[in-house]
């Protein structure tokens, strides 16, 4: 039984649920996450939704865009190799 989970603040439980949905692929890079208003229609207080989305933003999992719901940022390519010569051609 997850009694310890029930003791955590509701915003943390919501943030965990959204994080799991992102990690499972339910939300991909650039997809909009449910906003405060949408969550409020499902019985979540706007402030609680704001705190949950803020927690994801603070972790770098989501970003906020003015006038829009939170949007998950694009993830870097799977390969950690960078392309130092990108745009550089022969002779220059």
């Amino acid at each position: 039984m997850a009694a310890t989970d029930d003791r955590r603040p509701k915003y943390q439980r919501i943030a965990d649920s959204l994080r799991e949905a992102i990690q499972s692929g339910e939300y991909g890079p650039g997809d909009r996450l449910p906003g405060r208003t949408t969550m409020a229609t499902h019985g979540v207080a706007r402030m609680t939704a704001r705190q949950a989305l803020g927690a994801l933003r603070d972790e770098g999992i989501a970003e906020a865009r003015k006038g829009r719901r939170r949007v998950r940022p694009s993830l870097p390519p799977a390969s950690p190799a960078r392309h130092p010569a990108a745009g550089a051609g022969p002779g220059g």
Side-chain angles (χ1 to χ4, degrees), residues 13-86:
R13 294 190 307 255
I14 293 168
D16 288 346
S17 177
L18 288 170
R19 189 181 307 102
E20 288 171 14
I22 291 168
Q23 291 171 344
S24 73
E26 186 175 335
Y27 295 104
D31 287 349
R32 290 182 180 187
L33 298 174
R36 294 179 307 209
T37 303
T38 302
M39 286 191 222
T41 62
H42 294 287
V44 176
R46 290 174 63 102
M47 180 55 83
T48 303
R50 180 180 177 178
Q51 289 176 309
L53 293 168
L56 295 177
R57 184 195 66 231
D58 292 347
E59 294 173 22
I61 295 173
E63 63 185 15
R65 296 207 178 151
K66 188 173 182 177
R68 302 178 90 189
R69 293 185 287 184
R70 270 71 157 120
V71 180
R72 183 166 176 234
S74 297
L75 297 176
S79 171
R82 299 189 67 170
H83 302 286

